[in-house]
Amino acid sequence: MADAVGSIDTPDAQDEAQDKKKARKGGKRAKKGPLKRLALFYRQVIAELRKVVWPTRNQLTSYTTVVIFFVAIMIALVTVIDYGLSHAAKYVFG
């Protein structure tokens, strides 16, 4: 009995061509030197930074104020909890 075309036992010519493509390591990256890859990276970083919508001065001021206010509240909360737990530990352990 003969194998059908594309059966598991006999690979197609297309499968063999794909295996050869997969055997190559590195792809396009392997052809470029480290300095060219670094330059490409920086060009891509600059291109992405150009896409960023930067906040205005008023937005930045308000965001900073909110963050500082929130951090001050959290510091006060942790301080109160720490003070309370330290007194509770002194009470329990003498």
Side-chain angles (χ1 to χ4, degrees):
M1 194 181 234
D3 289 336
V5 175
S7 71
I8 296 174
D9 296 333
T10 58
D12 291 339
Q14 186 179 15
D15 292 338
E16 290 174 8
Q18 287 177 351
D19 290 340
K20 288 180 184 178
K21 287 182 182 177
K22 290 179 183 177
R24 185 177 70 182
K25 291 184 180 178
K28 291 182 181 178
R29 237 184 251 165
K31 294 180 183 177
K32 295 181 182 178
L35 292 178
K36 287 186 179 183
R37 288 194 312 236
L38 189 62
L40 174 65
F41 172 74
Y42 282 119
R43 281 195 307 267
Q44 289 175 345
V45 167
I46 290 169
E48 288 297 321
L49 285 175
R50 287 184 180 145
K51 295 178 187 177
V52 173
V53 179
W54 297 98
T56 63
R57 190 176 214 48
N58 290 336
Q59 289 174 332
L60 190 61
T61 304
S62 65
Y63 296 158
T64 305
T65 303
V66 168
V67 168
I68 290 173
F69 184 69
F70 178 75
V71 169
I73 289 174
M74 293 307 294
I75 289 172
L77 181 66
V78 169
T79 302
V80 167
I81 291 172
D82 183 51
Y83 184 74
L85 289 176
S86 68
H87 277 291
K90 286 180 185 176
Y91 178 75
V92 170
F93 297 112

